[in-house]
Amino acid sequence: MLIPEIASLIEEGIKVKFNPTGSSMHPFINGNMDSVVLVPPEDIRKGDAVLAKTGDIYVLHRITRLNGDEITLMGDGNICGMEKCKRADIIALVAEIVREKALMYLQDEIPHGIAVDIAVIKITNNARKIGVRSVNEYINSVILPSSSVIPIFK
């Protein structure tokens, strides 16, 4: 399996570029299309996207709650369903999301917590104003063609 090899490299302090699958982090991470750059999870906070082991599966989801050693995760594209894990189950922190034409965000530029929700609301409202049907369509048709580096959450 690929994840144990990724975990081993991350433990050595090596950045790893990884192509996730699935749609649970849509629209910010498009499975089988985007790549993520993973780094050691040294300072995790609410709002961070992380690679974690939850039970017998691995997920790349966002931290929605930190309560001591208990962490709650949820995919950006999920309307329900959360996972719980311990801090020791966090394998890596998502430092960058890379789309073919653009760098979606840099971890250091993201304000933590509620700023993620505000950014989604702003993008959704802008998409509706110009008549596109989804946030992903707005990102692909309006934002990406206008810039090669996009700090989404500034």
Side-chain angles (χ1 to χ4, degrees):
M1 179 177 257
L2 183 63
I3 303 295
E5 286 82 20
I6 289 172
S8 180
L9 292 169
I10 295 293
E11 285 176 11
E12 293 177 33
I14 298 170
K15 285 185 180 183
V16 177
K17 189 173 180 181
F18 171 67
N19 296 92
T21 60
S23 60
S24 64
M25 287 297 286
H26 183 78
F28 294 107
I29 301 172
N30 294 308
N32 299 315
M33 290 175 50
D34 298 336
S35 300
V36 294
V37 176
L38 303 172
V39 298
E42 294 169 359
D43 181 29
I44 57 170
R45 299 183 238 173
K46 181 179 176 182
D48 286 342
V50 296
L51 176 63
K53 185 169 185 180
T54 60
D56 293 335
I57 64 167
Y58 295 95
V59 296
L60 197 147
H61 284 169
R62 196 169 304 282
I63 296 173
T64 59
R65 184 172 183 193
L66 287 167
N67 186 14
D69 193 42
E70 296 284 322
I71 296 174
T72 305
L73 306 169
M74 185 174 186
D76 290 347
N78 293 348
I79 56 172
C80 64
M82 297 182 180
E83 300 85 23
K84 294 196 182 273
C85 68
K86 305 282 186 193
R87 282 186 187 265
D89 298 322
I90 302 295
I91 296 165
L93 174 68
V94 175
E96 301 172 1
I97 298 172
V98 182
R99 190 156 284 168
E100 184 178 322
K101 294 182 180 178
L103 176 64
M104 292 299 288
Y105 66 73
L106 299 174
Q107 186 67 32
D108 294 341
E109 295 178 359
I110 300 175
H112 293 282
I114 196 74
V116 172
D117 297 327
I118 291 168
V120 172
I121 291 166
K122 285 182 179 178
I123 290 171
T124 303
N125 287 341
N126 288 339
R128 287 187 185 132
K129 285 179 190 173
I130 63 168
V132 292
R133 293 181 298 273
S134 71
V135 172
N136 194 49
E137 183 180 341
Y138 177 73
I139 290 169
N140 287 326
S141 64
V142 177
I143 296 175
L144 289 182
S146 65
S147 177
S148 61
V149 178
I150 305 162
I152 293 286
F153 300 105
K154 260 195 163 176

